[in-house]
Structures are given as C-alpha cells and as structure tokens.
C-alpha cells in the first residue's frame, strides 16, 4: 500500500539478481495508483553454486527521470526447491509489496550434452548409406567382386576443402564440378570446408536449384559474381543500409564487430538475392540424404593466448553448431542467443548465413586493408600467411565489456517519447561513426582492433569436465606412438598447440570466433571426430606456397600433429615423399598397418599444381591449338602478376576459368586413384565390420579386449 502524496505515484517494480545472466526485470507502471496489483510473472535462471540475492526496487514513473522510492532484498537460498512462498517486502518502513516466489530445478536445457552425433545426423547417415550403396555399384561398374550387397560395406567418404580466399573458392568450384559429374560426390557422406571453401559450399548449398542443378550452371553464375570489383559494394548508400541493419542487431543486445560488415560484403557478392537465407535452410538439401552433409568451421580463441597455442574448433552443420571438445551442441537457430548454464535466457533471430560466412573467413576481415589494396599493392609485401603469423589476438579482439548487456542500474525514464529520442540519438551517433570509419580516411583500414567475430558465450556458467583428448578411444589406439623427431618434421614451432587441452572460460559473457585458418588451413578436426567413422578423406589444399615448386605439405603436417595430440588415428605423412617423387597433382597416405590401424582413414591429398593441365585439356586429350596451349600456360604462385593472390577478390573470366578448369582437370585426371582408394576402403570394411564404429559400449568392449589376458586372438 503506497501512501498518498501531493502527486499520486505511477508505480512499477524492478527485480534484480546480480548473479543471474538476464539479471533485471521490471513490471509495467500503473498510472495514479496507491494500491497497485501488477500480476506479472518473471523467471530467472540461477546458478545454485552462487549466493543469489533478489533486490526489489519500487519506482515512480515520471516524465523526465523516474524516482526511486525504496529498495528491499531477499536471500533466495532460504527457499526450498518445489516450494511456493509469499514473501513480504517492506519499503521505507511503511510500504508493503507481496511477491509469490518459487524455486524449481530446470528439467531441460537448450544445449545438448553428448559426444555422440545428434539424432538428425544419425538418421541422415542411415539414409545416405542406402543411397551411396546404389551409387557406388554404378560407379564401380558390374564387377561382381566389387558389388556391394549390404550397407555395412559402404565406406564413409569425406571431401575436404582448405582456406585460401577466392582462390580456394574458385578452385573448389572446379573440384566440385568434377566430383559431381563423375559420380563421386554421390558417394560422399560429408563435405567439409574452411574459410574460402566454405564460401563456395555456402553458395552451392544455398542455391534454390541445387542439387538438381549441378555445379556447372551454378559455377557460371559464380564466375559472373566475382568478376566485379568488391569496392563497388562500398558505396555510401549500401554501407548505410548495412550499418542500419547492424544497428538493429546491436541495439537488441548482440555484439557487432567488423566481421559482421565483412560478412555482408561477402554475402552481397556471392549470395546476392539470398541475403536472408540461414544455415538451418540447408536442411532442405539433405532432408532426404540427397546430398553430402556440409560441415563448416571456425575457431574459438582467447584474447590473451596465441591461436597457434590454444584454439577450440567450432563445427557448424545444418543440424547443429557446437564444440566436440566439450560435447556441447545447439540447433543453428540458437547460435548467438544468450545462454546461462545451458539454457537460453534471451533468444534472438537466427543469424543469416552471410554473418557465418564472415566468421568462417574472418582472416580477411582482420586484414581488410590488404583486400582493398589500401596499404599495399596486390602482390607486394608479405603474404597473408606471413601477416597472420605476426598478429597477436589482443590486436584482433576488443575487450569483453558488458556494453551490450542490460544496464546494471535502474532503467531511467518510463516516458516513451524521451526513450525514443534517446534511442534515435544513439543510433544516429553509432551509424555516423561506422560510416566515417568505412568510407572515410579511417584507422579502421590500418589497425586490427576489434576485427574478430563475437557472440554470446553459449557455455556461460557451465561446469566443464576437462577430460581431454576428445577421442573416446583415447588410450586404446593401436597405432605406433609418434617419436619426437618425427613430430618435429610437422612444424618448426615447438609451442604449436601447446595449450589445446585448456578449457574455455565459462565466466566470460562473450566469446571471440575467428577463421580456422589462423591455426591450420584444413578442416580435419571436423572429419576426425571418431563418431563420424570416416574411411576415406579426399582433401583439396589451396593454401599459398612460396613458389609453385615448393613442397605442399605444411598444412596437412599440422593436421597430423593436431590429430596425434588428440589421440585420433591419422596416417603417417611422409614429408620426404616430395624428395622422392617431386610435385604431383595428388598424394596418397595410407595407414601404416591396416590390419591393426583399423580406425585410421586413408587420405588422398590434392594440391594446387599446374602440371599435366598444360599439355592436356581433358585426361588423355592433348592440347592442339596455340590458343589452347596459351590458356593453360600459367603459374599460380611464381607469376609476379598472378591473379591468384590470396587477397584478390576480383577474378576476370579468364582467371576464373583457368583456376576452375585446372582443378577440375586435376580431379578427373586422378579418378583411377580415387576409385582404387574406394575399393580398398570397401575391402577394409569387409575385413573389419567394426571399423570406425564408435559407441560407449564398443569403447568398453575394446577396453576389455585390449587387456593382455591371454595369448589367444579373437
């Protein structure tokens, strides 16, 4: 009951629990009422390990500034679980407010906690196996010895694409045309991409006519899209539209960084009229297992630790987004929402695909001055890889302040006109600053502050079980241990991956997400999850090299080291094969001992090299005219005027066709190698029915059978 004063109050109540993530709630105000009844219900998610105190503040709404009437507190720990209790709050010794409080245990969370694949992916795999069995029988011909009769014989094949900007995207476009038209794509369960390759996968899988319409037609559209200078997208009118859209995101409480703007530029270039499409929309392309399941990746990094030492790999599919290291996953629609202890406390609209494309390829947002040619000409100065090696993450990430969160003090005015005026002023100020930064002579192009992507931490408040490495077969692998001198051949930096076993900071309200190429440039961690049980990996590496004749194994050697440190089966990568065999279009790396290394995949490692393409326009068909020979006579890394620079975001039709056709040819020229590897994988499956199948029960069984109980073999 409120005492009558000269001006009848317009009361409302604010509820504040400092330890809760969505910590402040408020009722509506009731005009001119000294005995109000609000009858409103609010929910807070609490950490039972914290001391949770409810602070109630009675406010009087005024035109200019609201007035605080008084405050009272309540210890929530005095409530019992399942109990409903009426609590009386006394304000200023004379005012009584009655609340009904109850404490309940959250029965379900929005995060999925499991090392297993989600049910949707399991269903997809079962359907896909049946389709692949038919396709493999067609692809392998009518030889009865190779004919598959059961899905247990079907190998799990994964296609991988590396980073490398538009060079990787255009090269992967040629690869996919070859795989699609040769029938190999129909035999693949997964396609995984990193950075530039994710841009092609996004373009392909978001296309309304795919997979009925194949890469041939879609690649022609892509060629037209990348023939224009991306600077045309930076007109003040378009930039203003981008920034106003981002203001809506920021004002709703979500973090916004330069990666958001970069994602819009990439989306406008590649997706164009599909700017509203989302990752969830890609379910339509796999709902009947009609295509390989696309997997994308980025890194979670810490501001104060080099990404070469610590990085958590985040995986994205149309079904889920999450971190296999911790066994935490969510549906794509929840990525970016505000979580606490595994439950969504504030849900936002699903981020558009172009935002994710910006995150997946954010190395270019970090070095945006090189993309625009502001500080260096296209082909002078250090390479992207050299620049990234010199970057420290504290230069990329802004401080994790709470500026995007709800204010921790009272909201202020209740008057809608004053609020609207304040909001409009804030928006105009923010838009003006961003416009000046983008189209003006700004430090935005010469500094790297705040360039990393940022999202709300979906693992905020969790208790982590730090039992790494992530493989459920840890300690059970039969592969020979890797000697130190062997490991040294993989990387020159002995600190590489030194801190990968460290956990994520569950107290940080936001996490920074960056291009996975900052650690190594191939998305093997997605495919090496033991639960995916991959038999054959067809990998395409478009990474930059010092010259066309340089050894092409740097990135796969890093992947090998990462796998060994996580106790994941990986074939021995022999860097000396280059000395023996020279530069080739592809290399095959098999398990050392197939009989014992039954979980180890075979890898076909394709590299970016112009060898036989110079003389052959199709496998077995020589070039005849001078025009045909001139078309194929080009270097990729040795040419000082190369159009294939990592930083080039505009491809002439000729440059596009050269790179596209080169990688299409290299793929088709090695179909026999792919076919033989598939046959070997089928044979491995037949000899080892449990190959690459992982479940908790099989892990326990392997622990039992691996005990040296007797000399008998089963």
């Amino acid at each position: 009951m409120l005492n009558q004063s000269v001006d009848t109050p317009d009361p409302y109540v604010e509820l504040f629990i400092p330890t809760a993530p969505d910590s402040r709630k408020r009722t509506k105000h009731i005009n001119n009422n000294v005995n109000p009844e609000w009858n409103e219900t609010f929910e807070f998610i609490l950490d039972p390990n914290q001391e949770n105190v409810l602070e109630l503040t009675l406010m009087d709404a005024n035109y200019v500034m609201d007035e605080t009437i008084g405050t009272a507190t309540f210890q929530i720990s005095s409530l019992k679980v399942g109990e409903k209790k009426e609590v009386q709050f006394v304000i200023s010794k004379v005012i009584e407010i009655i609340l009904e409080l109850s404490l309940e245990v959250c029965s379900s969370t929005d995060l999925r906690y499991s090392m297993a694949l989600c049910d949707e992916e399991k269903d997809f795999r079962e359907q896909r196996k049946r389709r692949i069995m038919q396709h493999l029988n067609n692809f392998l011909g009518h030889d009865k010895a190779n004919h598959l009769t059961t899905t247990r014989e079907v190998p799990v094949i994964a296609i991988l694409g590396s980073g490398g900007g538009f060079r990787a995207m255009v090269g992967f476009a040629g690869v996919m045309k070859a795989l699609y038209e040769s029938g190999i794509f129909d035999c693949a369960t997964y396609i995984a991409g990193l950075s530039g390759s994710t841009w092609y996968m996004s373009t392909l899988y978001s296309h309304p006519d795919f997979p009925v319409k194949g890469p041939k037609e879609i690649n022609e559209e892509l060629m037209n899209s990348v023939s224009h200078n991306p600077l045309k997208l930076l007109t003040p009118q378009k930039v203003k539209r981008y920034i106003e859209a981002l203001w809506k995101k920021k004002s709703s409480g979500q973090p916004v960084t330069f990666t958001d703007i970069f994602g819009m530029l990439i989306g406008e270039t590649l997706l164009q009229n599909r700017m509203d499409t989302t990752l969830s929309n890609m379910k339509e392309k796999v709902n009947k297992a009609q295509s390989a399941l696309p997997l994308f990746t980025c890194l979670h990094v810490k501001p104060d630790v080099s990404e070469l030492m610590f990085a958590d790999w985040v995986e994205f599919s149309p079904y889920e987004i999450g971190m296999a290291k911790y066994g935490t996953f969510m549906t794509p629609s929840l990525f970016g929402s505000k979580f606490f202890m595994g439950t969504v406390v504030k849900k936002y609209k699903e981020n558009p695909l172009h935002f994710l494309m910006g995150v997946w390829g954010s190395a270019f947002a970090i070095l945006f001055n090189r993309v625009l040619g502001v500080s260096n000409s296209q082909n002078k100065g250090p390479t992207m890889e050299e620049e990234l090696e010199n970057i420290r993450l504290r230069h990329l990430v802004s401080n994790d302040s709470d500026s995007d969160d709800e204010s921790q003090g009272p909201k202020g005015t209740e008057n809608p006109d004053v609020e609207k005026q304040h909001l409009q002023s804030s928006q105009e100020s923010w838009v003006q600053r961003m416009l000046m930064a983008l189209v003006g002579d700004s430090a935005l192009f010469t500094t790297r502050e705040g360039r990393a992507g940022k999202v709300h931490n979906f693992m905020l408040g969790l208790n982590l079980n730090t039992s790494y490495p992530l493989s459920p077969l840890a300690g059970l692998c039969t592969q020979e241990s890797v000697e130190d001198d062997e490991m040294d051949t993989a990387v020159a930096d002995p600190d590489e991956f030194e801190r990968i076993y460290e956990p994520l900071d569950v107290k940080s309200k936001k996490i920074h997400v960056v291009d996975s190429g900052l650690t190594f440039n191939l998305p093997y961690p997605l495919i090496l999850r033991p639960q995916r049980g991959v038999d054959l990996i067809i990998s395409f590496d478009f990474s930059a090299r010092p010259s066309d004749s340089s050894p092409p194994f740097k990135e796969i050697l890093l992947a090998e080291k990462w796998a060994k440190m996580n106790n994941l089966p990986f074939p021995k990568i022999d860097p000396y094969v280059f000395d023996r065999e020279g530069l080739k279009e592809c290399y095959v790396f098999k398990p050392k001992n197939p009989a014992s290394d039954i979980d180890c995949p075979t890898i076909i490692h394709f590299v970016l090299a112009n060898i036989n393409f110079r003389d052959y326009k199709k496998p077995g068909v020589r070039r005849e005219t001078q025009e045909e020979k001139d078309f194929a006579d080009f270097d990729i890394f040795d040419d000082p005027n190369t159009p294939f620079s990592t930083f080039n975001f505009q491809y002439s039709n000729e440059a596009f066709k050269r790179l596209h056709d080169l990688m299409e040819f290299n793929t088709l020229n090695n179909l026999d190698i792919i076919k033989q590897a598939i046959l070997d994988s089928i044979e491995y499956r037949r000899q080892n029915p449990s190959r690459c199948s992982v479940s908790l029960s099989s892990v326990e069984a392997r622990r039992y059978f691996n005990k040296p109980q007797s000399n008998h073999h089963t």
Side-chain angles (χ1 to χ4, degrees):
M1 177 77 179
L2 303 176
N3 288 330
Q4 185 97 23
S5 59
V6 176
D7 179 26
T8 306
D10 307 322
Y12 66 92
V13 169
E14 283 197 345
L15 304 174
F16 178 47
I17 303 178
T19 51
D22 201 14
S23 57
R24 191 174 296 278
K25 315 276 189 181
R26 57 164 296 172
T27 67
K28 296 177 182 177
H29 78 280
I30 299 179
N31 287 323
N32 301 319
N33 195 322
V34 296
N35 192 20
E37 289 187 19
W38 289 282
N39 290 326
E40 294 185 49
T41 302
F42 302 100
E43 289 185 354
F44 293 89
I45 296 177
L46 305 177
D47 182 350
N49 297 316
Q50 300 281 335
E51 184 179 349
N52 299 299
V53 178
L54 170 63
E55 180 183 297
L56 180 147
T57 303
L58 181 62
M59 302 289 294
D60 179 13
N62 290 317
Y63 184 77
V64 177
M65 184 61 67
D66 297 351
E67 179 184 350
T68 301
I69 299 173
T71 299
T73 60
F74 176 77
Q75 287 283 346
I76 295 174
S77 59
S78 64
L79 281 176
K80 296 178 181 178
V81 174
E83 174 189 19
K84 281 189 178 181
K85 185 176 182 180
E86 282 196 354
V87 178
Q88 187 179 78
F89 291 79
V90 179
I91 307 288
S92 303
K93 297 183 180 179
V94 293
I95 302 171
E96 296 178 357
I97 297 178
I98 297 174
L99 266 65
E100 184 184 84
L101 302 177
S102 64
L103 191 64
E104 299 173 3
V105 176
C106 290
S107 57
S108 63
T109 64
D110 296 297
L111 283 184
R112 184 178 72 88
Y113 306 112
S114 176
M115 299 299 290
L117 303 177
C118 66
D119 290 341
E120 293 91 340
E121 185 171 341
K122 290 177 184 176
D123 291 342
F124 164 85
R125 286 168 61 97
E126 286 303 312
Q127 291 186 63
R128 188 70 178 162
K129 272 185 183 179
R130 293 192 288 271
R131 283 180 174 265
I132 289 174
M133 189 169 77
Q134 297 175 355
H135 290 304
L136 276 175
N137 284 333
N138 292 333
F139 178 72
L140 298 174
H142 301 290
D143 186 344
K144 289 187 178 180
N146 299 329
H147 190 78
L148 280 75
T149 57
T150 171
T151 56
R152 291 189 68 84
E153 299 174 335
V154 174
V156 177
I157 300 171
I159 299 161
L160 264 64
S162 79
F166 273 20
R167 179 182 64 242
M169 180 183 71
V170 174
F172 208 32
V175 165
M176 286 300 296
K177 180 174 182 290
L179 296 177
Y180 182 92
E181 294 179 358
S182 66
I184 294 172
F185 182 67
D186 287 331
C187 303
T189 302
Y190 296 105
I191 175 172
L194 181 153
S195 195
S197 290
T198 68
W199 296 341
Y200 180 71
M201 290 166 56
S202 299
T203 304
L204 191 67
Y205 274 78
S206 68
H207 197 285
D209 299 327
F210 178 77
V212 175
K213 179 186 284 187
K216 180 181 179 181
E217 297 90 343
I218 294 171
N219 292 355
E220 289 173 359
E221 297 174 15
L222 180 64
M223 181 172 68
N224 182 58
S225 298
V226 300
S227 64
H228 306 296
N229 191 324
L231 280 172
K232 291 182 179 178
L233 299 174
L234 283 173
T235 62
Q237 295 84 357
K238 281 204 169 187
V239 170
K240 189 171 187 293
R241 180 159 55 85
Y242 300 160
I243 293 176
E244 286 177 345
L246 292 175
W247 167 257
K248 290 182 180 179
K249 181 177 180 180
K250 177 179 171 60
S251 59
S252 72
Q254 297 181 79
V256 171
T257 72
F258 187 76
T259 292
D260 292 77
I261 296 176
F262 180 70
M264 286 185 155
L265 291 172
I266 290 296
E268 286 273 12
T269 302
L270 303 178
L271 303 181
Q272 297 176 349
N273 62 349
R274 307 195 295 276
M275 288 289 281
D276 292 333
T277 193
T278 64
L279 182 60
S280 294
N281 293 148
M282 289 189 192
K283 288 181 184 178
E284 299 171 2
K285 308 300 182 182
V286 294
N287 58 1
K288 297 177 182 176
Q290 64 269 50
S291 302
L293 184 67
L295 302 173
F296 311 84
T297 184
C298 72
L299 299 177
H300 156 250
V301 293
K302 294 180 178 180
D304 56 346
V305 182
S306 165
E307 73 285 350
L308 298 176
M309 297 172 68
F310 170 88
D312 287 332
W313 287 72
V314 187
E315 69 172 56
F316 299 74
S317 84
Y319 299 132
E320 279 194 322
I321 298 173
M323 298 189 200
K325 175 177 174 180
Y326 308 107
T328 52
F329 299 91
M330 77 202 91
T331 60
S333 63
L334 296 181
F335 183 70
S337 291
K338 193 177 289 187
F339 280 80
F340 186 64
M341 299 184 73
T343 299
V344 171
V345 295
K346 188 169 185 181
K347 188 179 186 307
Y348 299 106
K349 183 180 178 183
E350 181 175 356
N351 277 302
L353 181 61
H354 63 73
F355 167 73
L356 299 181
M357 293 168 73
V359 170
W360 299 332
S362 59
F364 300 93
I366 292 163
L367 299 174
F368 195 62
N369 57 325
R370 292 291 306 279
V371 174
L372 298 181
V374 171
S375 64
N376 292 302
S377 64
Q378 187 184 93
N379 302 304
K380 293 179 181 178
T383 66
M384 175 179 172
E385 288 73 13
E386 290 168 341
E387 285 211 21
L388 289 176
E389 285 175 3
N390 293 325
I391 291 175
R392 300 196 181 278
L393 278 167
R394 62 173 178 268
H395 298 146
L396 309 184
V397 299
S398 54
N399 291 329
D400 186 17
S401 69
D402 296 332
S403 58
D404 296 317
D405 293 332
E406 299 87 352
S407 169
Q408 298 304 300
K411 293 293 184 183
T413 179
E414 175 73 20
N415 185 278
D417 293 332
V418 175
E419 284 192 355
K420 184 177 180 182
Q421 186 177 356
H422 173 73
L423 185 67
Q424 187 173 350
S425 174
S426 298
Q427 178 181 359
E428 288 174 355
S429 172
W430 190 80
V431 169
Q432 185 67 25
R433 289 200 310 273
M434 293 296 284
L435 270 173
M436 291 305 296
L438 268 177
V439 300
D441 183 14
S442 166
L444 189 64
F445 289 156
T446 57
T447 65
R448 299 180 174 120
E449 294 293 337
R451 294 295 184 85
K454 188 166 27 169
V455 295
H456 289 297
N457 184 0
F458 58 87
M459 291 172 61
L460 180 66
L462 294 181
N463 293 316
L464 295 182
N465 178 3
T466 56
S467 58
Y468 311 128
L470 61 82
S471 171
L473 302 178
L476 306 179
C477 298
T478 55
Q479 283 185 295
E480 299 172 13
S481 61
V482 180
E483 299 296 332
D484 289 340
D485 58 344
E486 286 184 354
M487 191 64 86
D488 287 344
T489 63
V491 283
D493 184 357
D495 295 331
E496 195 89 42
F497 311 141
E498 182 185 1
R499 296 168 65 175
I500 62 170
Y501 304 139
E502 287 185 7
L504 173 147
D505 180 5
V506 295
K507 294 181 180 178
S508 177
K509 291 189 175 181
K510 300 177 185 68
I511 57 173
H512 295 95
V513 284
V514 299
D515 191 318
S516 292
L518 289 172
T519 180
F520 59 91
N521 210 26
L522 287 163
Y524 277 94
L526 304 181
I527 293 305
L528 294 179
R529 275 185 70 186
Q531 298 83 357
R532 294 203 162 110
V534 174
D535 300 273
L536 174 61
I537 300 172
I538 310 173
S539 173
F540 296 88
D541 190 353
F542 308 102
S543 303
R545 305 198 302 277
S547 71
D548 283 68
S549 58
S550 300
F553 303 116
K554 177 185 175 185
E555 303 303 328
I556 197 171
L557 284 167
L558 287 169
E560 179 191 20
K561 179 175 182 181
W562 185 93
K564 302 298 184 191
M565 291 185 71
N566 284 281
N567 285 347
L568 295 168
F570 203 88
K572 177 76 183 85
I573 305 301
D574 179 7
Y576 303 112
V577 69
F578 187 79
D579 297 330
R580 295 192 304 270
E581 302 177 18
L583 186 67
K584 302 196 302 183
E585 292 160 352
C586 72
Y587 302 82
V588 180
F589 300 103
K590 296 182 177 182
K592 232 178 193 179
N593 302 302
S596 58
D597 298 341
I598 63 169
D599 294 317
C600 185
T602 293
I603 294 174
I604 305 177
H605 180 65
F606 279 84
V607 302
L608 193 49
N610 186 0
I611 305 172
N612 296 303
F613 182 70
R614 294 180 187 272
D615 300 317
Y616 294 88
K617 56 184 177 182
K618 292 180 181 179
V621 181
R622 280 193 168 274
R623 298 186 181 277
E624 297 176 354
T625 68
Q626 191 61 41
E627 183 181 359
E628 290 175 345
K629 293 176 181 177
D630 290 343
F631 173 77
D633 184 20
F634 64 92
D635 295 323
I636 300 159
F637 304 112
D638 290 340
D639 182 358
N641 299 309
T642 179
F644 308 119
S645 160
T646 304
F647 293 99
N648 183 22
F649 275 60
Q650 180 181 8
Y651 272 59
S652 67
N653 285 355
E654 181 186 58
F656 185 100
K657 287 177 181 176
R658 278 180 158 179
L659 184 56
H660 173 281
D661 292 2
L662 167 65
M663 287 311 300
E664 179 186 11
F665 172 87
N666 285 359
T667 306
L668 294 174
N669 199 41
N670 292 278
L671 281 186
D672 287 344
I673 290 176
I674 296 175
K675 185 174 182 179
Q676 186 57 53
I678 292 174
L679 288 170
D680 291 344
S681 297
I682 293 171
E683 187 58 31
Y684 286 155
R685 281 273 177 179
R686 286 171 174 165
Q687 293 177 6
N688 303 282
S690 64
R691 172 180 165 81
C692 295
S693 59
V694 176
S695 67
L696 290 178
S697 58
S698 68
V699 169
E700 293 304 318
R702 291 194 190 192
R703 285 204 175 101
Y704 176 79
F705 285 119
N706 282 347
K707 291 177 182 177
Q709 294 177 336
S710 70
N711 295 324
H712 294 95
H713 297 281
T714 56

